[in-house]
mmCIF file of all heavy atoms in Angstrom:
data_model
loop_
_atom_site.group_PDB
_atom_site.id
_atom_site.type_symbol
_atom_site.label_atom_id
_atom_site.label_comp_id
_atom_site.label_asym_id
_atom_site.label_seq_id
_atom_site.Cartn_x
_atom_site.Cartn_y
_atom_site.Cartn_z
ATOM 1 N N HIS A 554 75.626 64.639 111.676
ATOM 2 C CA HIS A 554 74.564 63.512 111.812
ATOM 3 C C HIS A 554 73.323 63.867 111.081
ATOM 4 O O HIS A 554 72.317 63.079 111.091
ATOM 5 C CB HIS A 554 74.253 63.225 113.191
ATOM 6 C CG HIS A 554 75.166 62.405 113.967
ATOM 7 N ND1 HIS A 554 76.352 63.036 114.419
ATOM 8 C CD2 HIS A 554 75.318 61.112 114.292
ATOM 9 C CE1 HIS A 554 77.083 62.076 115.095
ATOM 10 N NE2 HIS A 554 76.473 60.955 114.971
ATOM 11 N N GLY A 555 73.261 65.060 110.408
ATOM 12 C CA GLY A 555 72.130 65.445 109.608
ATOM 13 C C GLY A 555 70.968 65.802 110.481
ATOM 14 O O GLY A 555 69.797 65.776 110.066
ATOM 15 N N CYS A 556 71.141 66.325 111.660
ATOM 16 C CA CYS A 556 70.116 66.830 112.534
ATOM 17 C C CYS A 556 69.471 68.114 111.996
ATOM 18 O O CYS A 556 70.127 68.848 111.190
ATOM 19 C CB CYS A 556 70.586 66.968 114.018
ATOM 20 S SG CYS A 556 71.214 65.514 114.747
ATOM 21 N N SER A 557 68.305 68.345 112.368
ATOM 22 C CA SER A 557 67.586 69.549 111.911
ATOM 23 C C SER A 557 66.475 69.951 112.956
ATOM 24 O O SER A 557 66.357 69.226 113.945
ATOM 25 C CB SER A 557 66.858 69.319 110.595
ATOM 26 O OG SER A 557 66.040 68.276 110.620
ATOM 27 N N GLY A 558 65.887 71.077 112.659
ATOM 28 C CA GLY A 558 64.730 71.529 113.586
ATOM 29 C C GLY A 558 65.392 71.965 114.907
ATOM 30 O O GLY A 558 66.578 72.365 115.089
ATOM 31 N N PRO A 559 64.519 71.989 115.926
ATOM 32 C CA PRO A 559 65.024 72.347 117.258
ATOM 33 C C PRO A 559 66.338 71.639 117.847
ATOM 34 O O PRO A 559 67.058 72.236 118.642
ATOM 35 C CB PRO A 559 63.889 72.125 118.178
ATOM 36 C CG PRO A 559 62.643 72.082 117.368
ATOM 37 C CD PRO A 559 63.123 71.560 115.998
ATOM 38 N N VAL A 560 66.491 70.431 117.336
ATOM 39 C CA VAL A 560 67.731 69.637 117.857
ATOM 40 C C VAL A 560 69.001 70.346 117.165
ATOM 41 O O VAL A 560 69.979 70.500 117.956
ATOM 42 C CB VAL A 560 67.654 68.190 117.334
ATOM 43 C CG1 VAL A 560 69.064 67.519 117.597
ATOM 44 C CG2 VAL A 560 66.483 67.558 118.020
ATOM 45 N N LEU A 561 68.901 70.753 115.998
ATOM 46 C CA LEU A 561 70.013 71.554 115.429
ATOM 47 C C LEU A 561 70.179 72.913 115.929
ATOM 48 O O LEU A 561 71.242 73.289 116.242
ATOM 49 C CB LEU A 561 69.825 71.543 113.829
ATOM 50 C CG LEU A 561 70.915 72.328 113.030
ATOM 51 C CD1 LEU A 561 72.290 71.634 113.158
ATOM 52 C CD2 LEU A 561 70.474 72.461 111.515
ATOM 53 N N ARG A 562 69.003 73.622 115.982
ATOM 54 C CA ARG A 562 69.087 74.981 116.524
ATOM 55 C C ARG A 562 69.390 75.016 117.956
ATOM 56 O O ARG A 562 70.072 76.024 118.393
ATOM 57 C CB ARG A 562 67.649 75.609 116.256
ATOM 58 C CG ARG A 562 67.509 75.894 114.775
ATOM 59 C CD ARG A 562 66.223 76.808 114.579
ATOM 60 N NE ARG A 562 64.924 76.017 114.745
ATOM 61 C CZ ARG A 562 64.392 75.282 113.869
ATOM 62 N NH1 ARG A 562 64.854 75.171 112.666
ATOM 63 N NH2 ARG A 562 63.190 74.671 114.182
ATOM 64 N N GLY A 563 69.052 74.045 118.774
ATOM 65 C CA GLY A 563 69.525 73.970 120.131
ATOM 66 C C GLY A 563 70.999 73.852 120.381
ATOM 67 O O GLY A 563 71.535 74.182 121.410
ATOM 68 N N SER A 564 71.676 73.491 119.258
ATOM 69 C CA SER A 564 73.137 73.382 119.238
ATOM 70 C C SER A 564 73.735 74.661 118.753
ATOM 71 O O SER A 564 74.982 74.702 118.605
ATOM 72 C CB SER A 564 73.716 72.219 118.386
ATOM 73 O OG SER A 564 73.312 71.045 119.042
ATOM 74 N N GLY A 565 72.972 75.714 118.582
ATOM 75 C CA GLY A 565 73.526 77.032 118.124
ATOM 76 C C GLY A 565 73.597 77.250 116.661
ATOM 77 O O GLY A 565 74.166 78.255 116.294
ATOM 78 N N VAL A 566 72.962 76.421 115.832
ATOM 79 C CA VAL A 566 72.956 76.549 114.356
ATOM 80 C C VAL A 566 71.682 77.232 114.052
ATOM 81 O O VAL A 566 70.591 76.621 114.084
ATOM 82 C CB VAL A 566 73.193 75.298 113.595
ATOM 83 C CG1 VAL A 566 73.210 75.584 112.113
ATOM 84 C CG2 VAL A 566 74.527 74.571 114.180
ATOM 85 N N ALA A 567 71.683 78.495 113.588
ATOM 86 C CA ALA A 567 70.404 79.255 113.234
ATOM 87 C C ALA A 567 69.975 78.879 111.759
ATOM 88 O O ALA A 567 70.195 79.705 110.798
ATOM 89 C CB ALA A 567 70.639 80.771 113.346
ATOM 90 N N TRP A 568 69.550 77.677 111.602
ATOM 91 C CA TRP A 568 69.104 77.238 110.333
ATOM 92 C C TRP A 568 67.684 76.847 110.271
ATOM 93 O O TRP A 568 67.259 75.950 111.193
ATOM 94 C CB TRP A 568 69.987 75.982 109.822
ATOM 95 C CG TRP A 568 69.664 75.416 108.587
ATOM 96 C CD1 TRP A 568 68.861 74.313 108.332
ATOM 97 C CD2 TRP A 568 70.065 75.904 107.244
ATOM 98 N NE1 TRP A 568 68.634 74.157 106.999
ATOM 99 C CE2 TRP A 568 69.462 75.043 106.295
ATOM 100 C CE3 TRP A 568 70.873 76.946 106.871
ATOM 101 C CZ2 TRP A 568 69.622 75.289 104.969
ATOM 102 C CZ3 TRP A 568 71.047 77.176 105.491
ATOM 103 C CH2 TRP A 568 70.505 76.240 104.543
ATOM 104 N N ASP A 569 66.810 77.550 109.494
ATOM 105 C CA ASP A 569 65.460 77.240 109.443
ATOM 106 C C ASP A 569 64.985 77.337 107.982
ATOM 107 O O ASP A 569 65.177 78.405 107.313
ATOM 108 C CB ASP A 569 64.696 78.296 110.324
ATOM 109 C CG ASP A 569 63.183 77.889 110.493
ATOM 110 O OD1 ASP A 569 62.572 77.539 109.520
ATOM 111 O OD2 ASP A 569 62.724 77.979 111.625
ATOM 112 N N LEU A 570 64.396 76.327 107.459
ATOM 113 C CA LEU A 570 64.050 76.335 106.011
ATOM 114 C C LEU A 570 62.836 77.406 105.732
ATOM 115 O O LEU A 570 62.714 77.651 104.594
ATOM 116 C CB LEU A 570 63.517 74.937 105.596
ATOM 117 C CG LEU A 570 64.528 73.801 105.632
ATOM 118 C CD1 LEU A 570 63.876 72.508 105.038
ATOM 119 C CD2 LEU A 570 65.759 74.242 104.803
ATOM 120 N N ARG A 571 62.248 77.816 106.680
ATOM 121 C CA ARG A 571 61.254 78.919 106.478
ATOM 122 C C ARG A 571 61.990 80.187 106.037
ATOM 123 O O ARG A 571 61.455 81.112 105.451
ATOM 124 C CB ARG A 571 60.466 79.220 107.721
ATOM 125 C CG ARG A 571 59.414 78.093 108.021
ATOM 126 C CD ARG A 571 58.660 78.267 109.274
ATOM 127 N NE ARG A 571 59.687 78.176 110.459
ATOM 128 C CZ ARG A 571 59.264 78.450 111.700
ATOM 129 N NH1 ARG A 571 58.067 78.691 112.014
ATOM 130 N NH2 ARG A 571 60.217 78.375 112.711
ATOM 131 N N ARG A 572 63.348 80.306 106.334
ATOM 132 C CA ARG A 572 64.150 81.363 105.887
ATOM 133 C C ARG A 572 65.178 80.943 104.818
ATOM 134 O O ARG A 572 65.552 81.762 104.059
ATOM 135 C CB ARG A 572 64.827 82.078 107.172
ATOM 136 C CG ARG A 572 63.993 82.955 107.987
ATOM 137 C CD ARG A 572 63.911 84.255 107.239
ATOM 138 N NE ARG A 572 63.037 85.216 108.126
ATOM 139 C CZ ARG A 572 61.757 85.463 107.817
ATOM 140 N NH1 ARG A 572 61.170 84.877 106.741
ATOM 141 N NH2 ARG A 572 61.130 86.304 108.566
ATOM 142 N N HIS A 573 65.618 79.755 104.955
ATOM 143 C CA HIS A 573 66.753 79.252 104.134
ATOM 144 C C HIS A 573 66.397 78.120 103.125
ATOM 145 O O HIS A 573 67.321 77.595 102.526
ATOM 146 C CB HIS A 573 67.835 78.775 105.053
ATOM 147 C CG HIS A 573 68.286 79.801 106.079
ATOM 148 N ND1 HIS A 573 67.904 79.565 107.506
ATOM 149 C CD2 HIS A 573 68.934 80.938 106.099
ATOM 150 C CE1 HIS A 573 68.409 80.577 108.146
ATOM 151 N NE2 HIS A 573 68.940 81.460 107.365
ATOM 152 N N GLY A 574 65.137 77.797 103.056
ATOM 153 C CA GLY A 574 64.747 76.729 102.188
ATOM 154 C C GLY A 574 64.579 77.158 100.718
ATOM 155 O O GLY A 574 64.988 78.172 100.225
ATOM 156 N N GLU A 575 64.024 76.164 99.939
ATOM 157 C CA GLU A 575 63.837 76.411 98.487
ATOM 158 C C GLU A 575 62.809 77.559 98.294
ATOM 159 O O GLU A 575 61.908 77.662 99.187
ATOM 160 C CB GLU A 575 63.454 75.124 97.770
ATOM 161 C CG GLU A 575 64.540 74.154 97.695
ATOM 162 C CD GLU A 575 64.032 73.119 96.761
ATOM 163 O OE1 GLU A 575 63.515 73.311 95.678
ATOM 164 O OE2 GLU A 575 64.436 71.897 97.008
ATOM 165 N N PRO A 576 62.919 78.237 97.125
ATOM 166 C CA PRO A 576 61.924 79.385 96.900
ATOM 167 C C PRO A 576 60.497 79.000 97.122
ATOM 168 O O PRO A 576 59.650 79.754 97.645
ATOM 169 C CB PRO A 576 62.222 79.783 95.520
ATOM 170 C CG PRO A 576 63.682 79.343 95.332
ATOM 171 C CD PRO A 576 63.819 78.228 96.073
ATOM 172 N N ILE A 577 60.027 77.829 96.579
ATOM 173 C CA ILE A 577 58.591 77.459 96.607
ATOM 174 C C ILE A 577 58.094 77.390 98.082
ATOM 175 O O ILE A 577 56.983 77.765 98.389
ATOM 176 C CB ILE A 577 58.267 76.110 95.810
ATOM 177 C CG1 ILE A 577 56.856 75.965 95.747
ATOM 178 C CG2 ILE A 577 59.005 75.069 96.558
ATOM 179 C CD1 ILE A 577 56.490 74.751 94.836
ATOM 180 N N TYR A 578 58.989 76.953 99.051
ATOM 181 C CA TYR A 578 58.623 76.895 100.413
ATOM 182 C C TYR A 578 58.929 78.208 101.077
ATOM 183 O O TYR A 578 58.080 78.772 101.836
ATOM 184 C CB TYR A 578 59.246 75.804 101.060
ATOM 185 C CG TYR A 578 58.978 75.659 102.610
ATOM 186 C CD1 TYR A 578 57.711 75.415 102.933
ATOM 187 C CD2 TYR A 578 60.029 75.749 103.502
ATOM 188 C CE1 TYR A 578 57.411 75.377 104.353
ATOM 189 C CE2 TYR A 578 59.745 75.687 104.819
ATOM 190 C CZ TYR A 578 58.418 75.464 105.339
ATOM 191 O OH TYR A 578 58.214 75.295 106.713
ATOM 192 N N ARG A 579 60.080 78.765 100.849
ATOM 193 C CA ARG A 579 60.517 79.987 101.567
ATOM 194 C C ARG A 579 59.540 81.172 101.271
ATOM 195 O O ARG A 579 59.360 82.066 102.081
ATOM 196 C CB ARG A 579 61.812 80.363 101.052
ATOM 197 C CG ARG A 579 62.468 81.580 101.915
ATOM 198 C CD ARG A 579 64.000 81.759 101.452
ATOM 199 N NE ARG A 579 64.087 82.216 100.076
ATOM 200 C CZ ARG A 579 64.659 81.589 99.108
ATOM 201 N NH1 ARG A 579 65.225 80.487 99.375
ATOM 202 N NH2 ARG A 579 64.653 82.180 97.984
ATOM 203 N N SER A 580 59.027 81.209 100.003
ATOM 204 C CA SER A 580 58.140 82.218 99.582
ATOM 205 C C SER A 580 56.897 82.335 100.388
ATOM 206 O O SER A 580 56.168 83.377 100.389
ATOM 207 C CB SER A 580 57.753 82.083 98.023
ATOM 208 O OG SER A 580 57.129 80.949 97.750
ATOM 209 N N MET A 581 56.505 81.180 101.008
ATOM 210 C CA MET A 581 55.368 81.282 101.862
ATOM 211 C C MET A 581 55.467 82.256 102.974
ATOM 212 O O MET A 581 54.418 82.743 103.418
ATOM 213 C CB MET A 581 55.074 79.758 102.404
ATOM 214 C CG MET A 581 54.422 78.813 101.516
ATOM 215 S SD MET A 581 54.045 77.193 102.409
ATOM 216 C CE MET A 581 52.945 77.764 103.653
ATOM 217 N N TYR A 582 56.650 82.455 103.418
ATOM 218 C CA TYR A 582 56.961 83.198 104.615
ATOM 219 C C TYR A 582 57.649 84.501 104.190
ATOM 220 O O TYR A 582 58.183 85.303 105.145
ATOM 221 C CB TYR A 582 57.788 82.432 105.547
ATOM 222 C CG TYR A 582 57.134 81.273 106.195
ATOM 223 C CD1 TYR A 582 57.053 80.007 105.575
ATOM 224 C CD2 TYR A 582 56.351 81.433 107.398
ATOM 225 C CE1 TYR A 582 56.456 78.910 106.231
ATOM 226 C CE2 TYR A 582 55.772 80.352 108.011
ATOM 227 C CZ TYR A 582 55.782 79.058 107.404
ATOM 228 O OH TYR A 582 55.168 77.925 107.938
ATOM 229 N N ASP A 583 57.748 84.877 102.931
ATOM 230 C CA ASP A 583 58.538 86.002 102.494
ATOM 231 C C ASP A 583 58.028 87.271 103.156
ATOM 232 O O ASP A 583 58.885 88.101 103.574
ATOM 233 C CB ASP A 583 58.439 86.179 100.999
ATOM 234 C CG ASP A 583 59.520 85.435 100.244
ATOM 235 O OD1 ASP A 583 60.418 84.912 100.941
ATOM 236 O OD2 ASP A 583 59.340 85.281 99.035
ATOM 237 N N ASP A 584 56.723 87.524 103.382
ATOM 238 C CA ASP A 584 56.261 88.867 103.895
ATOM 239 C C ASP A 584 55.956 88.589 105.546
ATOM 240 O O ASP A 584 55.153 89.367 105.930
ATOM 241 C CB ASP A 584 55.131 89.320 103.070
ATOM 242 C CG ASP A 584 54.073 88.305 102.901
ATOM 243 O OD1 ASP A 584 54.334 87.154 103.113
ATOM 244 O OD2 ASP A 584 52.996 88.609 102.329
ATOM 245 N N TYR A 585 56.454 87.634 106.036
ATOM 246 C CA TYR A 585 56.168 87.323 107.413
ATOM 247 C C TYR A 585 57.430 87.696 108.233
ATOM 248 O O TYR A 585 58.527 87.442 107.942
ATOM 249 C CB TYR A 585 55.856 85.933 107.713
ATOM 250 C CG TYR A 585 54.412 85.536 107.286
ATOM 251 C CD1 TYR A 585 54.092 85.210 105.961
ATOM 252 C CD2 TYR A 585 53.366 85.535 108.198
ATOM 253 C CE1 TYR A 585 52.743 84.871 105.530
ATOM 254 C CE2 TYR A 585 52.100 85.160 107.838
ATOM 255 C CZ TYR A 585 51.808 84.789 106.536
ATOM 256 O OH TYR A 585 50.486 84.551 106.109
ATOM 257 N N ARG A 586 57.166 88.129 109.436
ATOM 258 C CA ARG A 586 58.290 88.668 110.364
ATOM 259 C C ARG A 586 58.389 87.519 111.518
ATOM 260 O O ARG A 586 57.311 87.338 112.190
ATOM 261 C CB ARG A 586 58.004 89.986 111.038
ATOM 262 C CG ARG A 586 57.871 91.103 109.993
ATOM 263 C CD ARG A 586 57.699 92.450 110.685
ATOM 264 N NE ARG A 586 56.663 92.366 111.700
ATOM 265 C CZ ARG A 586 55.346 92.568 111.456
ATOM 266 N NH1 ARG A 586 55.026 92.712 110.107
ATOM 267 N NH2 ARG A 586 54.480 92.540 112.434
ATOM 268 N N PHE A 587 59.449 87.043 111.694
ATOM 269 C CA PHE A 587 59.692 86.085 112.892
ATOM 270 C C PHE A 587 61.196 85.857 112.917
ATOM 271 O O PHE A 587 61.963 86.142 111.952
ATOM 272 C CB PHE A 587 59.045 84.733 112.574
ATOM 273 C CG PHE A 587 59.634 83.857 111.530
ATOM 274 C CD1 PHE A 587 60.465 82.896 111.870
ATOM 275 C CD2 PHE A 587 59.189 84.071 110.183
ATOM 276 C CE1 PHE A 587 60.963 81.988 110.829
ATOM 277 C CE2 PHE A 587 59.658 83.296 109.169
ATOM 278 C CZ PHE A 587 60.630 82.240 109.438
ATOM 279 N N GLU A 588 61.609 85.349 114.152
ATOM 280 C CA GLU A 588 63.014 85.103 114.394
ATOM 281 C C GLU A 588 63.330 83.737 114.302
ATOM 282 O O GLU A 588 62.521 82.750 114.719
ATOM 283 C CB GLU A 588 63.316 85.588 115.861
ATOM 284 C CG GLU A 588 63.246 87.165 116.083
ATOM 285 C CD GLU A 588 64.444 87.922 115.476
ATOM 286 O OE1 GLU A 588 65.392 87.270 115.098
ATOM 287 O OE2 GLU A 588 64.359 89.114 115.498
ATOM 288 N N VAL A 589 64.545 83.302 113.876
ATOM 289 C CA VAL A 589 65.058 81.967 113.836
ATOM 290 C C VAL A 589 65.572 81.771 115.177
ATOM 291 O O VAL A 589 66.631 82.264 115.571
ATOM 292 C CB VAL A 589 66.037 81.727 112.743
ATOM 293 C CG1 VAL A 589 66.675 80.286 112.886
ATOM 294 C CG2 VAL A 589 65.425 81.848 111.464
ATOM 295 N N VAL A 590 64.987 80.876 116.125
ATOM 296 C CA VAL A 590 65.342 80.709 117.506
ATOM 297 C C VAL A 590 66.549 79.788 117.602
ATOM 298 O O VAL A 590 66.488 78.633 117.287
ATOM 299 C CB VAL A 590 64.271 80.242 118.305
ATOM 300 C CG1 VAL A 590 64.634 80.043 119.796
ATOM 301 C CG2 VAL A 590 63.025 81.197 118.174
ATOM 302 N N ALA A 591 67.691 80.315 118.058
ATOM 303 C CA ALA A 591 68.896 79.452 118.204
ATOM 304 C C ALA A 591 69.714 80.308 119.159
ATOM 305 O O ALA A 591 69.982 81.585 119.014
ATOM 306 C CB ALA A 591 69.560 79.177 116.916
ATOM 307 N N PRO A 592 70.500 79.602 120.084
ATOM 308 C CA PRO A 592 71.412 80.318 120.998
ATOM 309 C C PRO A 592 72.808 80.555 120.341
ATOM 310 O O PRO A 592 73.792 79.858 120.608
ATOM 311 C CB PRO A 592 71.571 79.259 122.205
ATOM 312 C CG PRO A 592 71.344 77.977 121.556
ATOM 313 C CD PRO A 592 70.303 78.197 120.445
ATOM 314 N N VAL A 593 72.890 81.517 119.393
ATOM 315 C CA VAL A 593 74.122 81.868 118.749
ATOM 316 C C VAL A 593 74.979 82.546 119.756
ATOM 317 O O VAL A 593 74.699 83.537 120.320
ATOM 318 C CB VAL A 593 73.805 82.760 117.511
ATOM 319 C CG1 VAL A 593 75.106 83.083 116.933
ATOM 320 C CG2 VAL A 593 72.896 82.042 116.580
ATOM 321 N N ASN A 594 76.271 81.964 119.864
ATOM 322 C CA ASN A 594 77.268 82.389 120.877
ATOM 323 C C ASN A 594 76.671 82.451 122.282
ATOM 324 O O ASN A 594 77.005 83.310 123.124
ATOM 325 C CB ASN A 594 77.636 83.877 120.533
ATOM 326 C CG ASN A 594 78.499 83.811 119.205
ATOM 327 O OD1 ASN A 594 79.164 82.934 118.950
ATOM 328 N ND2 ASN A 594 78.293 84.892 118.432
ATOM 329 N N GLY A 595 75.729 81.496 122.516
ATOM 330 C CA GLY A 595 75.165 81.295 123.864
ATOM 331 C C GLY A 595 73.919 82.347 124.190
ATOM 332 O O GLY A 595 73.377 82.273 125.238
#
């Protein structure tokens, strides 16, 4: 259905454009430490 954000991550898909987006956006967070919040395997 093209869901994203917490709706997608709440279903267990660890996808966050701050880590997986295009370089011009991802590079904003290159030297930042944070976790992609998602219940992977519960």
Side-chain angles (χ1 to χ4, degrees):
H554 283 80
C556 296
S557 58
V560 175
L561 177 65
R562 291 190 286 275
S564 294
V566 182
W568 178 264
D569 190 315
L570 292 185
R571 291 174 293 178
R572 281 283 181 258
H573 309 108
E575 291 192 42
I577 188 173
Y578 177 60
R579 188 178 67 240
S580 63
M581 282 184 60
Y582 294 88
D583 272 349
D584 50 351
Y585 284 83
R586 302 184 310 277
F587 69 97
E588 297 282 352
V589 177
V590 180
V593 179
N594 297 323

